[in-house]
Amino acid sequence: MSFASNTTLVVFERDLRVADQKALSEAAKAGPVIAAYIMDAPLKASLGGAQKWWLHQSLNSLDASLAEYGGGLTLLSGNDRAVTLIAFCKANGISNVDWTARNDIFATNSPRNTDSALTAKLEQANIKATIHHGQLLHEPASIRTGSGGPFRVYTPFWRVMEQRLEQFKAEPAPEKITFAQTSGSEDLSSWGLSPTKPDWSGTLAAVWQPGETGAHNNLAAFLEGGLTGYDENRNRPDMAGTSRLSPHLAFGEISPYQVIEAALKRRGKVPAGDLETFLKEIVWREFSYHLIHQKPGLATENFNISFDRFPWASDDKALDAWQKGMTGYPIVDAGMRELYQTGWMHNRVRMIVASFLTKHLLLDWRAGERWFWDTLVDADPASNASGWQWVSGSGADASPYFRIFNPILQAEKFDPKGDYVRKYVPELAKMRAPFIHKPWEAPDMELISAGVRIGSTYPAPIIDHAKGRQRALDAYKMLKESA
Ligand code: FAD
């Protein structure tokens, strides 16, 4: 089969949407379109379990959106992306391929053909590659400090981005797309993305709606009901105080331009401080990409190389207790169980559990990064790696290592009635605040009436807070002294 010379193959990856999708809209303006998703072997190997589930749903959703234009998504797989692409183009006489710049490709934990390597291979095969922008507000190499280098500190980076926010305009979905008819799409179910034996995805499906519609529903609900008060409420895991846009942004079901533009339209209708804090969070995502662009090994290598000498402990039992939410610290356990059940964890609690792993348990941040990568629906190479390095103290512009979150005080402050803990740690559901956050200190009568037996119905603390804190400080002191 051979298509008209103005036919374009649009390859989707982390841009699973039809609106504000420049690769798609530009191709649709030029002529007939074939929309494809390629599952190459390195991509499949790099996806965590929760991401696979999300991707399956999101591809179905995109296919349905394209069907409304009279087309659909062609699914292709192969060991090597370039080989698969070139074979498909040659078989169908296609000489134009467009896609959105893939900024996560820099990450060494998802090693795939980079955009420039892919472009060179296509050009060798006489296929024109065109790369559009849209995964990020900025292209990582395009923002520089006054002295011409990359940013390592967030606040000055924000100041530059802040000046540009008004320029960010999103495009509507194309009015019309003419699809070239293709055959040979693989069957999504044959890709094995959705879990079957056992199918553990029910709890994810109960809380998420992957796809463009779900993304815009979350954005609209947040702008209407969550933006006012965001500056304070975003720290409260017991409230629905954040947008829950992260998996949608990670898969590109909504673009950051769309989020910024919609948020700025609320100016004057919501308190300026709440709006600014939300915009700053979106820009943290940008900053994470700015960092991973500087250090592609961000998920596996300390940004601050002095941490290469840090004396991490080795304790599989402690890691297992942390992963399973059985540390005996209710706020940590609630977070880890929220993650396992819903594929997501509140940002404040991510910081608490990450601090607990790296400081109280003295376990290497990379073990936490890997667990999050496998279990988060929003797992993102840049934000996950930079989040872990920020908490552990090894990152750029990181929280200082000696700042150790106290899991009890954090819980009392941000989950004052204990409702968050009650939701995810049902064995403590009958305990009252403040004891729900430190059940080992509760009087016997309190424990008896709540049906809690420490060490039996709920674990005793895996480590004493004061001891864990001191051990972490000593390790940090050793690092400093050995410098
Ligand atoms: P909102 O508060 O509504 O924020 C809006 C958007 O801003 C988010 O969707 C996200 O895209 C961005 N954002 C907010 N905070 C951050 C941040 N600190 N860093 C980068 N972007 C941010 N975020 C991910 O998207 N993927 C990850 O894999 C990830 N791993 C993390 C690991 C650790 C240890 C920590 C501390 C944070 C991590 N984050 C990650 C950042 C943050 O926790 C989530 O983005 C946030 O909880 C998502 O919820 P939301 O969409 O309701 O956020």
Side-chain angles (χ1 to χ4, degrees), residues 369-404:
E369 196 276 348
R370 281 195 299 276
W371 183 253
F372 269 32
W373 181 260
D374 195 33
T375 49
L376 278 172
V377 286
D378 66 21
D380 176 282
S383 298
N384 196 31
S386 67
W388 274 98
Q389 295 228 34
W390 185 86
V391 177
S392 77
S394 62
D397 197 12
S399 166
Y401 189 84
F402 52 81
R403 211 169 278 160
I404 297 171

Side-chain angles (χ1 to χ4, degrees), residues 310-364:
F310 193 83
W312 299 113
S314 162
D315 186 344
D316 289 346
K317 251 174 93 181
L319 179 62
D320 189 60
W322 178 82
Q323 289 173 338
K324 293 200 168 106
M326 294 293 279
T327 65
Y329 283 88
I331 191 81
V332 174
D333 295 343
M336 297 309 292
R337 296 186 200 183
E338 177 181 34
L339 172 62
Y340 205 70
Q341 284 169 33
T342 71
W344 186 87
M345 193 196 297
H346 189 278
N347 180 58
R348 167 64 46 183
V349 190
R350 289 187 207 207
M351 294 193 285
I352 297 170
V353 304
S355 171
F356 190 80
L357 184 83
T358 55
K359 298 182 181 178
H360 286 83
L361 299 181
L362 215 61
L363 294 177
D364 194 326

Side-chain angles (χ1 to χ4, degrees), residues 1 18 100 117 139 196 239 244 258 308 317 337 365 368 408 432 444:
M1 194 189 292
V18 294
T100 306
E139 288 311 308
T196 47
M239 296 172 71
R244 298 176 71 94
Q258 291 173 309
D308 291 354
K317 251 174 93 181
R337 296 186 200 183
W365 62 266
I408 306 151
R432 292 176 301 174
D444 286 350

Side-chain angles (χ1 to χ4, degrees), residues 12 36 57 93 131 152 179 232 245 294 333 339 363 430:
F12 287 79
Q57 317 301 318
I131 298 175
R152 292 185 169 192
F179 281 92
E232 234 181 276
L245 280 170
Q294 293 170 52
D333 295 343
L339 172 62
L363 294 177
K430 291 193 181 137

Side-chain angles (χ1 to χ4, degrees), residues 138-183:
H138 83 300
E139 288 311 308
S142 71
I143 295 194
R144 287 290 177 259
T145 61
S147 53
F151 285 91
R152 292 185 169 192
V153 179
Y154 172 77
T155 304
F157 178 82
W158 154 252
R159 286 205 197 98
V160 175
M161 291 296 286
E162 188 186 12
Q163 301 306 315
R164 302 186 179 191
L165 293 181
E166 297 291 344
Q167 302 163 15
F168 299 136
K169 299 284 174 240
E171 274 186 10
E175 277 180 17
K176 186 170 171 267
I177 306 171
T178 305
F179 281 92
Q181 295 305 315
T182 42
S183 57

